[in-house]
Amino acid sequence: MCGPVLTIYGDVGPVTGDVEHPGDVRIFGSVRPGRRVRAGGSLRVSRDVRGAELSAGADLFVHGLAAGPGAVLDAVGSVTVRQAVEARILAGRDVTIRASAERCRIHAGGEVRVDGAPGVLRGGAVHAARGVTVRRLEPWAGRPGVLRVGVPPFPEIRKDLEERLAFARSKGSLPALVEELERRLRRHDAAGPGDGPSHVTV
């Protein structure tokens, strides 16, 4: 836990406006399109996130669906979500998807796991530093998905990090989030090619 807990009993939408809090945030509802939620600590949403941007200084949990366009889940720690469609997911540690991910862009500093039921990864692109576990890989509309495992400096990862850092700075995001994004960018630039990444295309 990081500082006081902010609890919202209902949806984050036009009535609440955007949410920014230095501690943990608990939302017993959904996050509506176009909203932004920033937590200095952990962030937990009990229902869905649709077309909204969430940032957490620790771990981030979405117990429902995270769906785009425009859905972003960004955590200094790990991200856990039941289902994701057309979402961007960035985690300093692990990403866990309980059911399925479709047409998502996922970047994890640790592992990516899509190993629940049905455990399907469909299309999209996944970059994981330490490994990917998935029950089933499927293309989307005939287009293959791409898995990359390892720490070499993929250009796509650097672009993701630059975009998130620019967004965080422009919106006056919490200092801990900006600092962590800067650290990720420095680690990315310092990474050597090593033995090369593993590429898996379905």
Side-chain angles (χ1 to χ4, degrees), residues 9 18 33 41 83 88 104 106 124 131 146 183 190 201:
Y9 294 98
D18 295 342
Q83 184 178 9
R88 289 179 63 195
C104 294
I106 302 171
V146 176
R183 281 196 294 271
T201 303

Side-chain angles (χ1 to χ4, degrees), residues 67-83:
V72 178
L73 309 180
D74 189 348
V76 172
S78 296
V79 173
T80 302
V81 58
R82 183 180 65 81
Q83 184 178 9

Side-chain angles (χ1 to χ4, degrees), residues 77-165:
S78 296
V79 173
T80 302
V81 58
R82 183 180 65 81
Q83 184 178 9
V85 178
E86 288 188 321
R88 289 179 63 195
I89 302 174
L90 298 98
R93 297 191 183 97
D94 300 333
V95 172
T96 301
I97 298 171
R98 301 294 189 195
S100 64
E102 183 176 294
R103 293 168 287 157
C104 294
R105 292 169 61 191
I106 302 171
H107 170 53
E111 298 179 60
V112 173
R113 293 187 293 270
V114 191
D115 55 359
V120 177
L121 181 62
R122 186 175 293 117
V126 175
H127 307 144
R130 293 208 309 265
V132 178
T133 301
V134 58
R135 286 181 181 270
R136 192 164 75 246
L137 295 170
E138 297 180 357
W140 169 258
R143 299 180 63 182
V146 176
L147 306 184
R148 289 179 170 178
V149 180
V151 293
F154 302 121
E156 300 93 329
I157 293 178
R158 192 179 209 290
K159 183 178 179 182
D160 269 347
L161 290 171
E162 286 177 335
E163 288 174 356
R164 288 304 296 152
L165 182 57

